[in-house]
Amino acid sequence: MHAVPAPFVAYLRVYEPLSTFAPTVRDQLVEALRRGPIAPDHAGVREQRRWLHSQLVAPSRLLPGEAADGTPAGAEDVLVVDPDDVPTGESATVGPGPLVCPLDLRGRSAAALVGFLASAEVPLRGAVFPDPDGDAKSHANRVVQELSDTAVHVLSSTWTVPLPWFALVDPTERIEGTDSGAVSWLVAMADARRRAARAHTVSEGALGDQGPTRILRETGRWLERFHPHSAVELDYGGLVQLMSAEDVQADTSAEDVHAIIDAMERGESTEVAERYEALRDFWAEFAARERYN
């Protein structure tokens, strides 16, 4: 059997202080920490395996992280970060530790299923679900509604990284795994919110309320739903499988996005166009592979 690659997915994650969770959720997270946290570079594979298990177990589950009756099953998988490992600006505070990021796999899967049923072509929906407007859709909608008072701790993007995400990080703080080839950034929540707000203001003035401006607005609103002493992680995840060592070395995406924001603020449209064209060319090579899958 051929090895199954990790999902070609990048992630934006929030790690909150464990002490800020409600007691019931905190107890589940403590249990998950006792079992052992998931390493960020293994998170995609862990999610993939949990989904496959949910489909192969008898009786099968519609969503991973569920019991046979459709209720949440057991403690969440969790990632953990030490506050001391998070770079902070002058006014940013992170902690107390540990900082934890639940994978929120059941809720995220339900939201993805609702999106699939709303956007997929009819033949594809019918092939996956013989009755796409029946129990599966109703159950997924109920799970999504359960999330109305909370926010999932993980956003994901297949085949590419949304360029506005780079506005949240400090380009100089990039972390590269020596063995795995992983690429990521960690940033204090206060710094991420400040950068997102500035980028949104500049983008709205230069581009209006569409495209990157809309993503920045939605991302900023998402960040506001978490504790202000949290940490934010941008992780290339499984996308590094598509990248050679030369690609990683040549990647200046964070630097380019910050330069574009500065250039838009100064009204230098030529630099904006040149930087954006370079970014588009770099990421188009990887995004194009979606067509073959």
Side-chain angles (χ1 to χ4, degrees), residues 56-216:
L56 297 175
V57 71
S60 64
R61 277 66 161 155
L62 177 65
L63 304 171
E66 287 191 332
D69 62 359
T71 59
E76 282 274 13
D77 286 324
V78 65
L79 289 73
V80 63
V81 160
D82 187 330
D84 291 340
D85 293 333
V86 183
T88 57
E90 293 181 1
S91 60
T93 300
V94 177
L99 302 175
V100 297
C101 175
L103 291 185
D104 296 328
L105 192 53
R106 179 171 178 261
R108 290 167 53 214
S109 298
L113 179 55
V114 169
F116 169 79
L117 293 175
S119 61
E121 298 293 336
V122 172
L124 180 58
R125 293 203 310 269
V128 177
F129 294 104
D131 183 14
D133 295 320
D135 292 341
K137 182 177 181 179
S138 298
H139 179 62
N141 276 316
R142 284 197 301 271
V143 174
V144 171
Q145 290 170 3
E146 293 171 6
L147 301 173
S148 59
D149 295 330
T150 60
V152 295
H153 288 72
V154 183
L155 302 181
S156 57
S157 174
T158 56
W159 301 101
T160 190
V161 180
L163 296 181
W165 286 6
F166 289 107
L168 309 181
V169 305
D170 181 343
T172 66
E173 298 288 352
R174 188 163 89 162
I175 304 166
E176 295 184 14
T178 55
D179 297 327
S180 63
V183 176
S184 64
W185 286 263
L186 273 173
V187 56
M189 175 62 77
D191 293 331
R193 288 177 178 174
R194 172 176 52 79
R195 292 173 184 141
R198 175 186 175 241
H200 175 262
T201 299
V202 172
S203 179
E204 187 175 40
L207 305 175
D209 196 35
Q210 302 299 316
T213 307
R214 177 179 54 81
I215 296 174
L216 286 164

Side-chain angles (χ1 to χ4, degrees), residues 201-237:
T201 299
V202 172
S203 179
E204 187 175 40
L207 305 175
D209 196 35
Q210 302 299 316
T213 307
R214 177 179 54 81
I215 296 174
L216 286 164
R217 182 182 68 247
E218 293 172 352
T219 303
R221 289 175 176 173
W222 176 68
L223 294 175
E224 291 290 340
R225 303 189 70 177
F226 300 99
H227 193 276
H229 296 168
S230 302
V232 181
E233 179 183 50
L234 171 55
D235 181 6
Y236 279 15

Side-chain angles (χ1 to χ4, degrees), residues 272-293:
V272 171
E274 290 174 350
R275 294 270 190 173
Y276 176 73
E277 184 176 358
L279 281 166
R280 182 189 60 191
D281 292 345
F282 180 81
W283 286 103
E285 176 186 350
F286 309 115
R289 303 191 188 197
E290 183 177 10
R291 294 199 301 269
Y292 311 125
N293 290 271

